[in-house]
Amino acid sequence: MLELAAAKIQRVFHSPVDCIGTLLPYDVNAGFVIPNDRHTSSREMMQLAEGALRLAISTNESFVIVEPGEDAQEKPDPSLVPKIEQAVERGEFVLFYQPKISAAYGTVIGAEGLVRWLDPRKKKVIPPGLFIEAAEQSAVIVPLTEFLIRSAVSTCSEWDESVGIAINVPPKLLEKDTLLSVVSDALDFYAISPGRLTLEITERGELPSSAFQYLEGMREMGVKIAIDDFGTGQCSLMYFRDLPADEVKIDQAFVSRMRSSKKDRAIVEGIIQLSHLCEMTVVAEGIEDEKTAALLTELKCDTLQGYHYGKPVDGETFAEKHLNKLQSPESGGYFSRLLG
Ligand code: C2E
Ligand code: CA
Ligand code: CA
C-alpha cells in the first residue's frame, strides 16, 4: 500500500515544475512511519518519518518505511559530511531571512537567519532539516557557523540600524573561545553595533560547561543571547535561571496549538510571565494566522515570528519585501536570481 503511495507521489513530480518561469527538476524521496503498539506521540511519529526521509535521501532509495522502536533511522548520515565540507569551500550555503515583528508596533525589528544549501548541480534549495544534524555532529559545523555569522553581520550592516539579526549557534561552538573573536571581528569589520546581533542557543541537548562563560563574554560585548525552542528540551528551571540570556523563544509546538488547547495557552502565558519577571523578552515562533498573533499580543508577547508575517527568503527579497516596502514584481523571484 505504502509502496503504491510512494510510486504515485513520484509520478506527480515526474516532470520539472515551473517555478516563476524557471523549470525546476525534482527528485522525490519519501519517509513513512507505520504505527505499532508502542506508545508514540504524534511529534515522535513526525520525527521518525523525517528520519526515514533522511535515510531515503542519503541511501538514494525512493522511500524508506520504519516502525517506532527501530533506531537506525535517527542517526545522521556521516557520508554527508565530506559533501558538506566541499559545499562550505565552494560557498554553496546561504542564509534565508525570516522577519521578526514588534507586537506593540507591528514593525519589522529584525530577522532570523536560517541556513539553506544551494546545490547548483541539481538546481535545488536544500533545507537544513536534511543536513544540519549531520553537520552539527561533525567538525564542519565550526567553519559553517563562522561563515554564517560573518554573512549575517555583513547583510545586517546594509539594513536600517533599527533592524537586528539572529543566528542559530549549536552547542559545539560554545566549547571554543574562537567564537568570541569571530563575532567581535565581524562586528568590527562591518561596523554594526553588537546589540543588533542575537545568538540563538537551542534548549535541546546538553550545553558544555564552558558555554555559560562564553555566553557571558558575548553579553559583555553587547551581543544578545536567546534561548531557542523553549519548552521542548531540557526545560529545567535551573537552566532558565543560569543561562545568561536576554530573550526566550517559545517553540511553535505550543504556539500553533494555543487557540485549540487550554493547556498550550496556559503554558505560553506562563512562559511570557516568567520571562518578563526574569527580565527577558519573549518571541513566539510559528505564528500562521492573525488570531494567534492577536492573542499573543494580548498576552504581552514582545515579538512575533511565523509564516503569517513571512516565510524565510533570500537577503535581497527580504530587503525588498520587508524593509523597503517597495516591491519589484518584475524581479522574477528569488529562485531565478539565486540559481541563475
Ligand atoms: P528553528 O531555529 O526553530 O527555526 C524555525 C524553523 O521553523 C525554520 O525552519 C522556519 O522556516 C520554520 N518556521 C518559521 N515560521 C513557521 C511557521 O509559521 N510555520 C511552520 N510550520 N514553520 C515555521 P528551517 O529553516 O527549516 O530550520 C529548521 C531548523 O534547522 C531550525 O529550527 C534550526 O534548529 C536549524 N537551523 C536552521 N538554520 C540554521 C543554522 O544556520 N545553523 C544551525 N546550527 N541550525 C540551523
Ligand atoms: Ca532558531
Ligand atoms: Ca526555534
Side-chain angles (χ1 to χ4, degrees):
M1 194 63 193
L2 287 175
E3 286 84 345
L4 281 177
K8 204 166 176 181
I9 295 168
Q10 285 194 312
R11 274 202 305 280
V12 172
F13 289 101
H14 186 65
S15 325
V17 172
D18 187 347
C19 180
I20 330 174
T22 306
L23 283 182
L24 291 178
Y26 274 81
D27 285 337
V28 178
N29 305 83
F32 297 103
V33 57
I34 306 176
N36 58 16
D37 52 7
R38 290 174 73 104
H39 176 73
T40 314
S41 68
S42 55
R43 192 179 173 89
E44 284 166 335
M45 293 289 278
M46 281 307 294
Q47 282 170 351
L48 287 172
E50 281 165 16
L53 174 62
R54 279 199 291 274
L55 195 63
I57 292 168
S58 61
T59 53
N60 226 2
E61 298 289 336
S62 54
F63 63 92
V64 165
I65 302 171
V66 297
E67 282 188 30
E70 296 177 350
D71 59 0
Q73 69 282 358
E74 272 306 295
K75 295 194 183 100
D77 175 14
S79 73
L80 258 183
V81 173
K83 293 180 196 153
I84 299 172
E85 282 164 354
Q86 283 173 1
V88 172
E89 280 166 22
R90 293 190 189 121
E92 290 176 7
F93 290 99
V94 295
L95 284 173
F96 272 25
Y97 299 90
Q98 186 179 34
K100 290 169 77 179
I101 312 293
S102 154
Y105 300 104
T107 50
V108 175
I109 52 162
E112 176 175 2
L114 294 153
V115 67
R116 300 289 183 264
W117 181 354
L118 301 185
D119 188 334
R121 289 161 295 284
K122 293 185 186 158
K123 288 204 163 198
K124 281 206 301 194
V125 178
I126 305 175
L130 298 181
F131 62 85
I132 203 72
E133 211 181 328
E136 285 187 1
Q137 297 206 358
S138 91
V140 73
I141 193 65
V142 178
L144 175 59
T145 309
E146 291 177 356
F147 165 77
L148 295 173
I149 289 172
R150 288 188 201 101
S151 165
V153 172
S154 154
T155 305
C156 183
S157 71
E158 293 162 15
W159 298 342
D160 186 88
E161 278 181 13
S162 60
V163 182
I165 180 75
I167 184 99
N168 293 281
V169 174
K172 201 175 213 132
L173 271 283
L174 302 171
E175 285 167 7
K176 300 170 181 241
D177 54 7
T178 46
L179 184 66
L180 280 167
S181 56
V182 169
V183 168
S184 82
D185 289 353
L187 293 171
D188 282 350
F189 187 81
Y190 293 103
I192 75 162
S193 120
R196 289 174 71 191
L197 177 65
T198 301
L199 304 181
E200 295 192 4
I201 315 294
T202 182
E203 195 232 8
R204 292 178 199 169
E206 195 90 6
L207 280 184
S209 53
S210 50
F212 294 76
Q213 175 199 336
Y214 293 145
L215 293 177
E216 201 51 82
M218 290 288 174
R219 287 180 90 205
E220 277 165 19
M221 221 195 285
V223 171
K224 296 208 172 99
I225 306 297
I227 306 177
D228 200 2
D229 309 319
F230 188 72
T232 61
Q234 302 187 349
C235 204
S236 140
L237 287 177
M238 289 223 276
Y239 186 97
F240 191 80
R241 181 194 66 191
D242 295 338
L243 196 77
D246 306 273
E247 185 176 276
V248 172
K249 296 193 81 174
I250 309 178
D251 195 80
Q252 61 190 55
F254 302 109
V255 173
S256 59
R257 291 163 44 109
M258 66 182 288
R259 283 201 307 118
S260 55
S261 146
K262 269 189 180 172
K263 268 195 185 168
D264 285 272
R265 183 192 154 134
I267 289 169
V268 170
E269 201 168 349
I271 297 174
I272 295 173
Q273 287 175 7
L274 183 63
S275 306
H276 285 167
L277 285 169
C278 295
E279 296 176 341
M280 290 188 263
T281 55
V282 184
V283 182
E285 296 192 273
I287 301 168
E288 295 191 350
D289 59 80
E290 181 59 45
K291 286 188 174 155
T292 306
L295 180 55
L296 285 157
T297 306
E298 195 186 308
L299 296 177
K300 301 275 182 284
C301 180
D302 305 280
T303 309
L304 311 173
Q305 184 182 345
Y307 292 171
H308 177 59
Y309 297 101
K311 290 191 172 180
V313 288
D314 70 279
E316 207 178 315
T317 307
F318 178 81
E320 280 170 12
K321 225 175 146 177
H322 299 291
L323 302 181
N324 299 335
K325 300 282 172 209
L326 291 170
Q327 302 199 25
S328 59
E330 72 286 358
S331 67
Y334 61 84
F335 273 103
S336 47
R337 280 207 305 278
L338 285 174
L339 297 172

